[in-house]
Amino acid sequence: MEVLAREVLTKEVVTMMGYGFGMGVGGWIAMAVFWVAVIALVVWLVVRAFPSSRRDDAVTGGYPSVAPGETPDQLLDRRFAAGEIDVATYESMRATLRASRSGK
């Protein structure tokens, strides 16, 4: 009887020490999806917390000094008024804008 009890006890211990078959394929997939979601959330939070000027450049076509809705004439006038361009450049650009509108 004692020998039989030892065999049963030994088999139970072996089964318990094996912990079954582990997580299985579904567990590994669920863990991978979880960690990808956590990393994506962290990246999204960092991007939202620290906005860059590159996003503004994309909206304005790469020119950070262009105000949204500003026409080329208004931009040219503003640059001239700010002293960024001289009279000759202003008049040359103004003539170029007029010529491009008239189709010449």
Side-chain angles (χ1 to χ4, degrees), residues 56-73:
D56 296 335
D57 290 348
V59 169
T60 61
Y63 299 102
S65 63
V66 176
E70 188 173 34
T71 66
D73 288 329

Side-chain angles (χ1 to χ4, degrees), residues 11-35:
K11 287 181 183 179
E12 288 178 17
V13 169
V14 169
T15 304
M16 286 182 63
M17 295 300 287
Y19 297 110
F21 294 105
M23 280 196 306
V25 176
W28 285 104
I29 291 172
M31 185 175 64
V33 167
F34 170 76
W35 282 111

Side-chain angles (χ1 to χ4, degrees), residues 41-52 55:
L41 178 65
V42 168
V43 168
W44 181 77
L45 287 173
V46 168
V47 168
R48 296 289 291 173
F50 303 107
S52 68
R55 197 174 319 151

